[in-house]
Amino acid sequence: MLWQLCKVEWFKLLKTKAWIYLFISPILIAAILFVGDPALPNGKMKWLMASAFIANVHGLLLFPLIGGLVTSFVCRYEHEAGGWKQLLSLPVTRTAVYGAKLITAAAFMGILQVLVFVVLLGVSMLKDYPSTIPLKMIAGNMLGGWIAVLPILSFMLAVSMALSSFGASLTVNVILTLPNLFVVNSERFGPWYPWTQPMYGMLGVTGRESWDLMLTTQTFLVVIISSFLLFVAAGSLYFHRKHI
């Protein structure tokens, strides 16, 4: 049942304009890396600085914002013309519906990370980056950012299920994402704020000394796992009690 629902959700998502957002970050990253290439250092540091740039531009703002947009899109059909009643009148469980929407949003964000990964490799070939490509580092950073966005997706999915207005759910996501600009370098708040975690994940946090961030791997994992479980439990409970 879950697999069938995932295919349906993916088909509905592709029928919206959500696919456009797959290309915003990759195009922007490619353009800025091309223009800013002369300012990047040579040698291995070129890879490190390019990865840091992606984390600060893509991971800090664009990735969380796109995550909120995608969760709004996966609920858009159901908020129109009694879609929730039609969906739940089928022989499906609410747990399966919630899970399928979350998996679909996560898959979309995974594809976005793959595209960013491909763009970085493409730019590196055109701009003569060092021939030894740190694939393990880059892939790990992309994976870390994707894992870190899962709590945001689970929270915003619950918000999107609760709010029928596409603009309202988008506003909530913007309000929660913009504080990243102020708390990301805060030793007190940055390591514990879920919306900053995609950037930390893309920087490849390995301890307090990493990029001068006051963050440990243990703290990063605790925040991701605990917030994800909390948001999934709260969202699932809300959806089960939601009057359709």
Side-chain angles (χ1 to χ4, degrees), residues 57 100 103 113 135 137 152 183 238:
V57 174
I103 290 172
Q113 288 297 79
L135 285 175
M137 180 196 76
I152 299 175
V183 305
Y238 165 78

Side-chain angles (χ1 to χ4, degrees), residues 21-170:
Y21 297 100
L22 279 174
F23 304 102
I24 292 178
S25 280
I27 291 174
L28 181 62
I29 289 169
I32 298 181
L33 285 180
F34 263 98
V35 174
D37 182 72
L40 294 177
N42 294 320
K44 185 180 179 180
M45 281 299 297
K46 198 163 192 173
W47 284 108
L48 293 174
M49 294 307 296
S51 296
F53 164 77
I54 290 174
N56 281 278
V57 174
H58 174 61
L60 186 63
L61 290 176
L62 292 177
F63 201 47
L65 287 174
I66 293 172
L69 281 167
V70 171
T71 55
S72 297
F73 275 116
V74 298
C75 294
R76 196 169 188 178
Y77 278 108
E78 283 70 30
H79 284 309
E80 298 177 353
W84 287 114
K85 289 184 178 180
Q86 296 175 29
L87 176 60
L88 296 177
S89 65
L90 300 173
V92 296
T93 65
R94 295 197 181 202
T95 300
V97 171
Y98 179 87
K101 289 184 177 296
L102 182 58
I103 290 172
T104 301
F108 185 96
M109 301 303 286
I111 293 173
L112 175 56
Q113 288 297 79
V114 171
L115 290 177
V116 172
F117 177 80
V118 170
V119 163
L120 177 56
L121 293 184
V123 171
S124 72
M125 295 176 184
L126 295 173
K127 286 295 183 177
D128 296 324
Y129 280 38
S131 57
T132 303
I133 302 174
L135 285 175
K136 185 177 180 180
M137 180 196 76
I138 299 172
N141 291 353
M142 293 298 104
L143 179 61
W146 178 76
I147 292 174
V149 85
L150 296 180
I152 299 175
L153 296 180
S154 58
F155 178 87
M156 289 307 305
L157 179 59
V159 171
S160 298
M161 287 178 166
L163 301 176
S164 59
S165 170
F166 184 88
S169 60
L170 177 60

